[in-house]
Amino acid sequence: MDPLLALRPWEAPEVTSWGRLPMNAVDRRAGALKLDGDWRFQLLPSPDAPVSEVWSSSNVPGVWTMQDTDDLPQYTNVRMPYAEFPPQSPAANPTGVYERAVDVPAEWAGRRIVLQVGAAESVLLVHVDGWPVGISKDSHLAAEFDLTEVVRPGERAVVRLTVVKWSDASHIEDQDQWWHGGVTRSVLLYATDPLHLADVTVRAGRYGELRVDCRVRDTGGALPDGWYVSGELSGQLLSQDTEFDRLNTEDDRVSDFLGEARLRTTVPDVRAWSAETPELYDLTVRLHRADGTVADTSRHRVGFRDVEIVGRDLLVNGERVFVRGVNRHDFHPLTGRTVSYDDMRADLVLLKRFGFNAIRTAHYPNDPTLYDLADELGFYVVDEADIESHDHAHEIADDPRYLNAFVDRVSRMVLRDKNHPSVIIWSLGNESDYGANHDAAAGWVRRHDPRRPLQYEGAAKLGWADPDLASDIACPMYAPLEDCVAHALSGEQTKPLIQCEYSHAMGNSNGTLADHWAAIESTPGLQGGFIWEFWDHGILQRVNDGRPVGRGGAGLYEGGVAAPGHRWAYGGDFGETIHDGAFIADGVVFPDRTPKPVMYEHREIAAPVRLECFKHEGIVLGNHQHFRGLDWLKAEWELSLADGGTRTAPAELPDLRPGETAAVPLPFELPEDSGEAWLTLRVTTAHDEPWAPRGTVVCLPQVRLRAAPPKRSVLAMRNRSVEVDADGLLIHPLLTSAPTLSLWRAPTDNDELGGTALRWRAWGLDAPARKVVDVRQAAGRLTVHAEYASDAGVVRHTQVFTPVEDGIHVEESAELPVALADVARVGSVFETVAGLDLMEWYGQGPWESYPDRAFGAPVGHHSVPVDELFTPYLRPQESGGRHGVRHFTLSAPDATGLTVVLDEPRQVSVTRYHAEDLTAVGHHDELVPRAGCVVHLDAAHRGLGTASCGPDTSPSYLVAPGVHRWSWTLRTL
C-alpha cells in the first residue's frame, strides 16, 4: 500500500509532515523552474477513492472551488462547515489530484534537486513517478521536498500532488473566510550544490550594526574542509577586518552535517528603516568551497531598525509610533486565495495612499511576496501563524494531539519571515482560546527571536496587564473605547494597548473611527490598532447559474459594482446550507479594490499634516509624522465660501521636524458678507513615490475661519398660496411624492446584527400608519398636523408651509414619545420627477458621510451625478448620505430643477431608492432604480457604529425621544 495513504494524514493530528525539509529563509526564487500553469486534474469524492483514467485540467496556482468543479466555495465565520469534532473530518472529503510531466534540466546533474509547493489546502501528498516523497500540512506556508534520489537530470519525471480538503488541520484553520481547496501558491523546482546554505538569519539594528548567521549543510554527508562564507552589502564587500567566525565544527552544538558561520559589520551613517522611510540595503551572502568558487548564494534586502517595548510603549527605532493598521487576507474575487504580485502591490499601494502603515496578516502567513512589498513600500507587519480553532477553541488549546501542529506552524512562520524588517511582531494565531499549546509555541519564539515582541489576543484577553501570559502586547479585539481609555489611565497598565481588531467594516460602518483616534492620540498607553478588514470577500458570480466566474471575469466589474447578469456572492449564494451570510463583506474596500467611503475618513485621521487651529497670528500647522519632514509634500490652499466661491493659492510648507508645529499666515483676505468660510490645505506628493505618482492627494486638512451668520426670518408671499391634497400632502410640480415624516432607514449590517433593526421593526417604524389630524390656513401659512402610529406610541408631526419668493418654506417638528428611544432618523422624505440627474451642494463631501463618520469629508462646494451618490455595499442598505449639507441643487441637463436650503447643516441623502426598496432585496442585481430622486432631509440621523462585531455608536450619536425641529426651503430653478 502507498505509505503516504497508509498514514492517513487527514485524520492524524500527530502527523504534521513526512519527508518535508526544514523551513528556512534562503532565497531560492532566482533560477528556479516555475511549474505554474495547466496541470492534469481530477477531483475525487474522498482521499480513499481510486484515481481514474479520465482527466480534466486545472490551473496552478489556483483553487478548484473557483475553477468550474462541483465543489463550490463555502463561507463560515465561527462554525465548521461539517459536524465532525476534532480531529475527525467528514467522509465526503473532496480530494484534488494534480499531475504534470517535468523535464529536469540536464545541467542539474550532480546537484541537489528540490520541489517547493508554495501552499496547498489542507493536506498535501507528493509523489514523483509513483514514488512517495512526502506529506505536508499548514495551508499557508510552503513545503519543500528533496527529489534528488527520485529524478534524473536530462529526463522527464511525473509529479503528482494530491490535495485533501478536510483534515484534522482544518479544525485549526477555522478562519473567517471562504473555504477552498487546491494549490494556492506557485510550485517551483530548483537545484543547489550539495554544499548549500541551509538557512540565513539577518539581524540589523538602527545604528548600523549587522550580524548575519549562516547555517551550512552538505547532502553528501560531512562538510568538506575549507568552506567559508562571504558577504556583500549594497555593492560594497565587507571589509577584511569584518569579524568572521566560522564556528568550530568540533563544537558540541554542531554536527559534521551542519556548519555555522557568522558575519558582522557596522554600517556608518546608516539610513534606518521605518514605515515612513523604508530604506533598504542589498545583502548578498555567498558560500564558498575551499578553492574560493561559489557553491551557493542567497540575496536579501536588509532594513536597519530596532523594535522594543519600553514600559507600556512599543518603540520603533526608539520612537513611540502609532499603529494605523488593517487586517488583510490573501483574497481575489476571481481566484479566491491565489494572488499575484500585481494584486499584492495594488493592495499595499492603496493602503499607503489612504494613510495605513501597518498590516496584520489575518489569520495566517500571507504570500511571501507581500513581505517583500511591505519592506519596500513601508509597512509594519504583525505576522500571524496559521492557527484558528474558533469552533472548538477551548478543547484544542490544551489538546496534546495538536501540540506539534501549534509549534510547527508558529516556528515555520518565524523561520520563513525572520529577515523582513517590516515584521515587527509575531502573532500566535487568532481566536483559539489559550492553553499549553500556545505557551509551547511562544517559548520557541522567545528563544529563537528575542528581538521582536509576541502577541496573542487569546492570552491578552485574560488580563491586559498580566505579565505572565504569552503576549507582550495588550491586543484586544473590539474593546469599547471607554474601557481602553480607562485602562490607560488606571495606573495598572504594563503593556502597549494595540487592538488586533477594531472598527468592524461590515457594510455601511466604521462609525466613531475619528473618536477612537482622538482618544488614542491624546492618551498615553494607547497606540492604535487594526481595522477589520481590508477586503469585502465578495466572489464574482454569474446570476444565471450561480457559479463563480473565475479568472476570465476581470472586465465584469468596476467601481465596486458587478456587471449586469453578475453579482458579488456572499455566504449562502452557492447553495450551501451551513454559512454565515454577508458577514464576509466586512472590508474597507469592495471586492474589486474600489475604496469605500471610510477610506477617506481614515486618510484624514492619519494625515501627516494637520491644521491645528486658526489664531489671530495665522494658521497653526503641525507635522504628525514620526520620522520624516515635510519636504516630500506639496500643498495648495483652498478657500470655500458659503456664497458660492472657491479660491486657491499656493502654500509653502514650513520646515518642520516630526511633532513640531508652526504658525503660517492666512493666505487670503476674507471678503465681507460672504458668510461661512472654510480653509482647506490640499496636500499632495511633491515627487513620484514608490506608492504614488507626483500630485497624488495625501490629505485635505481643514479649519473653519468664520461661522455662518444667524438665519434671517422668512417672509411670506401673501399673494401666493400652498396647495395640498385631501391627505394634507404638498402638491408641487417637481415632486412625485410629497414630503412626509421618515423614522426608518434600510437597516445597515450593524443595525441588523446589533439588534436595533429588530427593535425598529417591533415598533412598526418601517411602515407607520399616517393619519391627518388637522389642516389649517392662516396668515399666508398652511399648517398640517398628522400622527404616525407605532407600537411604542404616537409620533406627532407638524408641517408649516409658507410661500416665499420662488418657492416654499417648510417648518417641521416631530414629537417622539419616551418609548421611542434610539430610532434611525427623524426627518422628511420625498421623491422628485425624473430627469434631475446632477446634485450640487455646499457642505461635507464629496464622498458619503454620516454623523459619526464625517471627519474625512471636508466642507466645500461639491458636484456629483445622482447615480454616483449611492454606495453599493454588498448587501443593499442605508447608503449615500452626506453630512453637514447647508444647501443643494438637483438639476437636469437644461439647468431646470430645484434647490433646497436648510436651516442648519443637516444629514441629506439623494439616491434612486426608497428605504423599502433596499430592505426588500439581498443583492444589487435585484434592485430597480426609480426614475426620480428619493430625497431625505434629516433633522437627526443615528450614527453607524460597528455593532455587527464590536461596539455600537456612542450615545452622542443616537436619536433621542422628544421634540425635533427642522426647516428647509424648496425653490424652483
Side-chain angles (χ1 to χ4, degrees):
M1 184 179 181
D2 188 321
L4 300 190
L5 293 174
L7 286 172
R8 300 186 68 81
W10 51 92
E11 55 185 24
E14 68 277 6
V15 178
T16 59
S17 67
W18 181 86
R20 187 179 68 192
L21 296 172
M23 182 62 79
N24 62 80
V26 179
D27 181 14
R28 299 294 185 195
R29 285 171 284 189
L33 182 63
K34 209 166 189 178
L35 303 185
D36 294 352
D38 282 338
W39 287 53
R40 297 201 303 162
F41 177 76
Q42 54 185 282
L43 186 61
L44 308 179
S46 73
D48 295 317
V51 177
S52 75
E53 297 300 319
V54 180
W55 294 85
S56 60
S57 67
S58 185
N59 197 77
V60 173
V63 291
W64 67 65
T65 40
M66 300 284 286
Q67 295 190 53
D68 208 28
T69 69
D70 290 331
D71 184 32
L72 298 175
Q74 182 175 4
Y75 166 62
T76 62
N77 174 24
V78 176
R79 298 179 290 175
M80 289 295 292
Y82 50 81
E84 283 76 6
F85 279 72
Q88 299 302 313
S89 54
N93 192 351
T95 300
V97 181
Y98 298 82
E99 271 194 5
R100 67 160 291 169
V102 179
D103 292 321
V104 182
E107 58 269 25
W108 286 4
R111 294 173 67 79
R112 168 179 170 261
I113 300 173
V114 177
L115 175 72
Q116 181 188 94
V117 180
E121 301 184 14
S122 71
V123 176
L124 170 69
L125 295 82
V126 180
H127 296 78
V128 175
D129 289 336
W131 288 94
V133 172
I135 294 169
S136 179
K137 296 180 186 177
D138 188 347
S139 294
H140 301 286
L141 283 174
E144 293 190 337
F145 304 92
D146 192 331
L147 305 189
T148 309
E149 300 300 319
V150 294
V151 299
R152 295 179 182 275
E155 296 184 7
R156 176 166 289 187
V158 176
V159 176
R160 173 178 288 186
L161 308 178
T162 303
V163 180
V164 185
K165 184 176 183 180
W166 306 121
S167 70
D168 59 272
S170 301
H171 291 283
I172 56 173
E173 295 179 357
D174 180 18
Q175 290 121 347
D176 180 9
Q177 59 180 334
W178 292 99
W179 291 98
H180 289 294
V183 178
T184 58
R185 295 178 189 159
S186 288
V187 180
L188 306 177
L189 193 69
Y190 68 85
T192 74
D193 195 272
L195 178 67
H196 62 278
L197 292 165
D199 199 8
V200 175
T201 302
V202 178
R203 295 182 173 91
R206 76 180 190 267
Y207 296 116
E209 64 276 18
L210 175 66
R211 171 178 147 182
V212 183
D213 290 324
C214 305
R215 305 188 74 157
V216 178
R217 291 185 186 274
D218 194 307
T219 54
L223 288 167
D225 291 334
W227 64 269
Y228 66 96
V229 172
S230 69
E232 180 181 335
L233 189 69
S234 289
Q236 299 297 315
L237 292 174
L238 301 184
S239 60
Q240 292 298 313
D241 60 355
T242 297
E243 179 184 347
F244 168 73
D245 296 328
R246 178 175 150 198
L247 303 182
N248 194 327
T249 55
E250 297 177 1
D251 191 304
D252 291 340
R253 297 171 300 163
V254 185
S255 73
D256 285 342
F257 303 102
L258 173 65
E260 296 182 352
R262 179 173 299 155
L263 298 170
R264 291 183 187 267
T265 192
T266 299
V267 178
D269 301 319
V270 71
R271 303 183 307 277
W273 185 97
S274 71
E276 292 174 16
T277 58
E279 300 283 355
L280 294 173
Y281 292 73
D282 293 322
L283 172 68
T284 302
V285 177
R286 296 184 178 90
L287 170 62
H288 300 265
R289 304 180 187 89
D291 62 2
T293 57
V294 176
D296 202 2
T297 301
S298 184
R299 292 176 174 82
H300 306 265
R301 304 198 77 188
V302 176
F304 289 83
R305 63 103 183 94
D306 290 335
V307 180
E308 58 186 331
I309 292 176
V310 177
R312 58 181 185 171
D313 294 327
L314 173 71
L315 306 182
V316 175
N317 297 337
E319 294 291 329
R320 179 179 182 268
V321 297
F322 286 123
V323 176
R324 305 183 186 276
V326 70
N327 288 273
R328 180 193 174 277
H329 279 284
D330 279 343
F331 169 77
H332 192 279
L334 301 179
T335 57
R337 199 97 68 227
T338 298
V339 287
S340 68
Y341 171 88
D342 289 340
D343 293 332
M344 288 179 276
R345 187 175 187 92
D347 290 354
L348 299 197
V349 162
L350 186 68
L351 286 169
K352 196 79 174 177
R353 291 182 185 181
F354 283 91
F356 291 91
N357 69 357
I359 294 167
R360 176 178 176 230
T361 66
H363 297 292
Y364 45 78
N366 284 186
D367 188 289
T369 300
L370 182 97
Y371 302 81
D372 296 336
L373 290 166
D375 294 343
E376 173 192 337
L377 297 175
F379 284 91
Y380 303 123
V381 174
V382 173
D383 203 4
E384 189 149 277
D386 187 12
I387 299 173
E388 181 170 341
S389 55
H390 209 152
D391 199 13
H392 300 285
H394 185 69
E395 307 98 285
I396 290 176
D398 284 308
D399 189 336
R401 294 175 297 177
Y402 280 92
L403 174 63
N404 287 345
F406 274 57
V407 176
D408 184 64
R409 288 164 182 251
V410 172
S411 62
R412 293 180 76 237
M413 170 187 71
V414 172
L415 289 168
R416 186 193 76 166
D417 297 335
K418 60 190 173 184
N419 293 337
H420 289 282
S422 57
V423 176
I424 65 168
I425 298 169
W426 302 116
S427 169
L428 298 179
N430 184 67
E431 292 179 319
S432 302
D433 207 324
Y434 179 47
N437 294 340
H438 294 97
D439 284 334
W444 188 95
V445 176
R446 295 191 193 286
R447 176 68 176 85
H448 186 82
D449 184 24
R451 293 166 61 93
R452 288 181 177 94
L454 188 152
Q455 75 173 48
Y456 176 56
E457 181 270 340
K461 71 181 180 183
L462 300 180
W464 291 356
D466 191 334
D468 297 324
L469 301 175
S471 187
D472 300 318
I473 294 169
C475 51
M477 53 175 63
Y478 310 110
L481 178 59
E482 56 270 21
D483 290 359
C484 296
V485 173
H487 178 68
L489 300 179
S490 68
E492 299 176 358
Q493 185 180 6
T494 60
K495 304 174 182 179
L497 198 157
I498 304 170
Q499 291 208 60
C500 67
E501 294 177 24
Y502 81 110
S503 193
H504 192 258
M506 186 175 179
N508 194 355
S509 188
N510 302 106
T512 72
L513 186 62
D515 302 70
H516 268 76
W517 274 96
I520 290 167
E521 293 192 3
S522 61
T523 308
L526 305 185
Q527 270 188 265
F530 296 82
I531 291 174
W532 186 265
E533 64 168 310
F534 179 55
W535 284 102
D536 269 359
H537 292 227
I539 291 176
L540 190 66
Q541 180 189 49
R542 294 185 293 264
V543 176
N544 61 344
D545 65 5
R547 302 182 71 83
V549 172
R551 290 176 180 266
L556 295 176
Y557 50 78
E558 184 179 4
V561 179
H566 300 78
R567 67 183 182 186
W568 298 122
Y570 49 75
D573 285 338
F574 294 108
E576 66 272 36
T577 56
I578 300 175
H579 65 85
D580 286 310
F583 208 73
I584 195 70
D586 49 9
V588 293
V589 301
F590 289 104
D592 64 352
R593 210 181 286 108
T594 296
K596 290 184 182 178
V598 66
M599 292 288 273
Y600 298 94
E601 183 87 347
H602 188 274
R603 188 179 71 181
E604 296 312 311
I605 291 169
V609 182
R610 315 275 178 90
L611 302 184
E612 310 286 354
C613 59
F614 171 42
K615 294 184 176 180
H616 179 70
E617 62 272 21
I619 307 296
V620 178
L621 185 149
N623 178 358
H624 281 249
Q625 300 172 103
H626 299 294
F627 301 102
R628 205 173 187 186
L630 303 183
D631 54 310
W632 64 285
L633 298 170
K634 186 179 179 181
E636 180 183 61
W637 295 110
E638 294 181 358
L639 178 66
S640 296
L641 303 172
D643 65 359
T646 299
R647 302 181 183 181
T648 62
E652 184 174 341
L653 294 174
D655 183 12
L656 296 178
R657 290 180 297 181
E660 289 185 338
T661 61
V664 297
L666 188 66
F668 302 99
E669 291 227 4
L670 288 181
E672 296 293 332
D673 302 324
S674 61
E676 186 180 20
W678 289 81
L679 184 65
T680 303
L681 186 65
R682 183 180 181 85
V683 181
T684 61
T685 51
H687 312 284
D688 288 344
E689 297 284 335
W691 48 271
R694 179 177 179 267
T696 299
V697 174
V698 174
C699 57
L700 299 168
Q702 187 177 67
V703 66
R704 188 173 68 179
L705 301 182
R706 186 164 60 201
K711 290 288 182 181
R712 299 175 182 174
S713 59
V714 174
L715 297 177
M717 299 293 290
R718 294 188 178 274
N719 61 340
R720 296 182 57 194
S721 62
V722 176
E723 186 178 1
V724 297
D725 65 13
D727 294 320
L729 298 174
L730 178 69
I731 298 174
H732 190 282
L734 293 181
L735 304 187
T736 60
S737 175
T740 56
L741 179 66
S742 175
L743 304 171
W744 170 259
R745 70 185 182 195
T748 65
D749 291 319
N750 291 329
D751 296 337
E752 293 285 14
L753 296 175
T756 54
L758 182 65
R759 186 168 67 249
W760 296 338
R761 288 190 181 96
W763 288 339
L765 299 184
D766 51 341
R770 179 181 182 270
K771 181 179 73 173
V772 178
V773 175
D774 185 41
V775 178
R776 298 180 185 179
Q777 181 97 36
R781 291 178 169 85
L782 182 71
T783 302
V784 178
H785 295 283
E787 291 181 349
Y788 289 77
S790 80
D791 286 354
V794 173
V795 178
R796 294 178 172 82
H797 179 222
T798 300
Q799 291 176 310
V800 179
F801 299 105
T802 304
V804 296
E805 185 177 2
D806 297 328
I808 300 169
H809 181 67
V810 186
E811 298 172 85
E812 303 194 60
S813 67
E815 183 180 357
L816 276 60
V818 173
L820 277 184
D822 188 16
V823 300
R825 63 176 8 131
V826 177
S828 313
V829 59
F830 57 85
E831 187 173 350
T832 74
V833 297
L836 307 184
D837 297 333
L838 180 68
M839 180 177 175
E840 298 172 277
W841 75 98
Y842 177 64
Q844 293 189 254
W847 28 83
E848 178 192 88
S849 55
Y850 282 83
D852 62 349
R853 202 192 66 216
F855 186 82
V859 175
H861 297 277
H862 307 290
S863 177
V864 176
V866 170
D867 289 338
E868 297 177 15
L869 293 168
F870 182 72
T871 306
Y873 298 107
L874 261 65
R875 189 189 66 79
Q877 57 195 272
E878 164 65 34
S879 166
R882 299 309 192 267
H883 190 61
V885 175
R886 281 75 164 162
H887 56 77
F888 66 92
T889 297
L890 297 174
S891 61
D894 63 0
T896 61
L898 60 84
T899 292
V900 173
V901 179
L902 297 143
D903 57 340
E904 61 181 77
R906 298 289 189 183
Q907 182 77 22
V908 171
S909 73
V910 179
T911 71
R912 300 294 191 193
Y913 307 104
H914 280 288
E916 54 266 31
D917 300 337
L918 302 171
T919 308
V921 302
H923 293 86
H924 286 273
D925 62 287
E926 303 168 71
L927 284 171
V928 178
R930 294 173 182 260
C933 301
V934 179
V935 180
H936 279 273
L937 314 175
D938 292 331
H941 194 106
R942 190 187 195 276
L944 300 170
T946 65
S948 59
C949 188
D952 200 349
T953 192
S954 301
S956 60
Y957 299 114
L958 299 180
V959 179
V963 178
H964 295 264
R965 304 181 193 278
W966 67 105
S967 65
W968 48 285
T969 303
L970 174 63
R971 291 193 172 95
T972 303
L973 294 178

